[in-house]
Amino acid sequence: VQLQASGGGLVQAGGSLRLSCAASGRPSSSYVMGWFRQAPGKEREFVAGIRWSDGNTAYADSVEGRFTISRDNAKATLYLQMNSLKPEDTAIYYCAADAIPYRAILRLAAAYDYWGQGTQVTVSS
């Protein structure tokens, strides 16, 4: 499975961005897919996850109500709509896939088997 993230950029505080993650190589509909982010000097942290089979979602407290994760089955693409962005959202954002079938949405990066290359999001104040 290959993941290709895109959509990052520079935006002012309060603005919006939509990240995309195109999956190729026959990703299974049983996977959980997620978005993580890593700011300079910090550990990679969970942002949001979605169970591909039933659309169940989970969010970090810091983004709940501002970010929305979704997927397009036909396009095998994962999205992250980010609204009301804050300077503390600045980070490299990664998409990831957990290949264990039908597992719960885990928030630990080590649980994910496949990773995209990351896309930079910078929010200016």
Side-chain angles (χ1 to χ4, degrees), residues 45-98:
E45 65 173 357
F46 174 82
V47 175
I50 187 167
R51 199 156 55 195
W52 206 268
S53 58
D54 60 10
N56 187 39
T57 59
Y59 295 92
D61 290 345
S62 59
V63 307
E64 183 85 53
R66 300 188 297 122
F67 292 9
T68 302
I69 189 171
S70 62
R71 87 275 197 235
D72 185 321
N73 290 332
K75 295 182 179 179
T77 300
L78 178 72
Y79 300 101
L80 185 68
Q81 178 66 44
M82 305 186 294
N83 298 329
S84 302
L85 282 160
K86 304 175 181 180
E88 51 263 44
D89 294 318
T90 295
I92 299 174
Y93 283 69
Y94 299 89
C95 56
D98 174 359

